Amino acid sequence: MTAPRAAHKRTPEIRENLPAPTTPEGELFHYTPYEAAQWSPFSGRTLADLIARREIEYVFNGRDNYLTGLQIVALSRRYTVAPFSKPARAKTATAA
């Protein structure tokens, strides 16, 4: 005999038609970690964990944690790796 299975899997609700964080409407819009995941380099669960450990900036409204569009953009820039560029060759002094 096996243990009973859970009736349903809990998935976070994601609102429809969210403004992008880079738009003027999205700069101060409050996104849940799972909504912000589509514009950040992390999953929703990872963002929620980073917020819980207070490793990133977030907005707390007394009950829930949110990220503003500006915070999402700053987070993306923080973890963006620029391509490597080779340094210019140093000129060697020639003996005259």
Side-chain angles (χ1 to χ4, degrees):
M1 182 172 210
T2 61
R5 298 176 74 185
H8 59 85
K9 185 176 181 179
R10 184 175 175 203
T11 58
E13 291 185 26
I14 297 178
R15 297 172 283 182
E16 297 290 327
N17 301 323
L18 295 172
T22 54
T23 63
E25 302 86 29
E27 287 181 353
L28 298 178
F29 189 85
H30 290 129
Y31 302 89
T32 66
Y34 292 92
E35 293 168 345
Q38 61 183 324
W39 291 290
S40 75
F42 301 108
S43 68
R45 177 59 192 215
T46 301
L47 286 172
D49 290 343
L50 289 171
I51 289 171
R53 292 191 306 257
R54 291 171 173 57
E55 293 181 15
I56 59 174
E57 292 183 3
Y58 66 97
V59 177
F60 179 67
N61 72 350
R63 185 181 122 185
D64 297 316
N65 299 320
Y66 294 99
L67 293 165
T68 65
L70 292 174
Q71 290 169 330
I72 295 168
V73 171
L75 183 69
S76 295
R77 287 187 182 148
R78 178 179 170 189
Y79 288 98
T80 299
V81 177
F84 177 74
S85 60
K86 294 182 180 179
R89 281 184 74 182
K91 293 183 179 182
T92 56
T94 58

